[in-house]
Amino acid sequence: MFHSARIKLTAWYLLILMSISILFSVAIYNGAKSELVRSLHAQQFRLYYFDNPELIPAPPHISQLQIDPELLSDEENRIKLALILLNLGIFVLAGGAGYFLAGRTLKPIQVMVDEQNRFITDASHELRTPLTALRAEIEVNLRAKDLSVEETKKLLQSNLEEVINLQSLSDNLLQLTQLEKSKGQNIFTQVSVSQVIEEAVKKISSEAKKKEITIRSEVKNYQVLGEKNSLLQLMIILLDNAVKYSNNNTLIKVTAEKIDHKISLKVADQGIGINTKDLPHIFERFYRADSSRTKQEISGYGLGLSIAKKIVTLHSGIISVKSNSKGTTFNVLLPILPKQ
Ligand code: ADP
């Protein structure tokens, strides 16, 4: 697809350049031709003057002198040949340059289309797995002749869980595309970091309670320029992961401190940690660490951190992670509002 588009674009570049070049060549040819006639007449005049000195000071009008037609046609042909060769040279050079430029022009579009295709493939793949499981479960139970009320309820409960997971997957996918679309169009306001953290902790507290996890936050009231709901979502993702990937009875610490002209937000857990080989990939879409425990026991689609990274990037910040077997710390650096 892109090869044929590149060829078409090259053809358009060539058409425009060659039209200009041919127009100029015709103008140059006409100018050179009249200049040639004028100089041949002048030459004839000089010869006439030397051959008939007695006619001075009344030579015939310069244009009445005969020019050798063969000489004129030879010279015209030479000009034509030179212009044709010049145009051929331009054609070859412009063709090469046009092909190169067409490639450069189409490259970002190609990258974008590839990225979109990958997104669609990944999303369909992720949607397919739970949908297949859901379908199989329903089909098997429909075939069972003596399904009790108890079993039916269990089936519906399991179906509901799958539907909730699918809903959260589609919400996340939607959010990713919206963040992608909103690049540079966000309306930023002054946001209180401590308020965002407080709200995020409140949202996660019931999940944390189930695992008897304590969330401790040590945050001064710094202000950043940002989009409050996105920043809230960022903190929820980090805290939710910290809870999900921590064992019972552990501690999660949230801190915010000023470092240079940035605010550093840290979420540190005492959880299962992230393998060194997984660390470079965790911000990629749909990436989940390979540990069998993580994949099988803990729900998720590997979208949270890619959404988190997009939110941080939209706020001109940086997100990084440090992890070992004793726990994981995510650090978000955001530009701080001046005079704090
Ligand atoms: P998921 O839905 O799988 O949690 P994320 O994008 O939020 O997706 O995270 C990607 C992967 O990074 C997770 O599958 C997990 O393996 C790892 N991860 C993220 N946060 C933590 C954490 N606090 N502790 C351990 N592993 C984590």
Side-chain angles (χ1 to χ4, degrees), residues 237-238 241-242 244-245 269 271-274 282 284 287-290 294 299-306 323 328 330:
I237 291 169
L238 297 182
N241 276 350
K244 270 197 318 190
Y245 300 104
D269 63 48
I272 58 173
I274 304 169
I282 55 166
E284 288 168 17
Y287 189 87
R288 304 203 74 207
D290 219 5
T294 311
S299 69
Y301 289 101
L303 286 175
L305 287 181
S306 57
S323 188
T328 303
F330 281 91

Side-chain angles (χ1 to χ4, degrees), residues 175-194:
Q175 196 182 359
L176 258 183
T177 39
Q178 271 165 356
L179 283 171
E180 200 66 61
K181 259 201 301 192
S182 71
K183 259 181 201 163
Q185 295 170 5
N186 306 68
I187 299 163
F188 285 177
T189 53
Q190 198 166 318
V191 180
S192 149
V193 170
S194 59

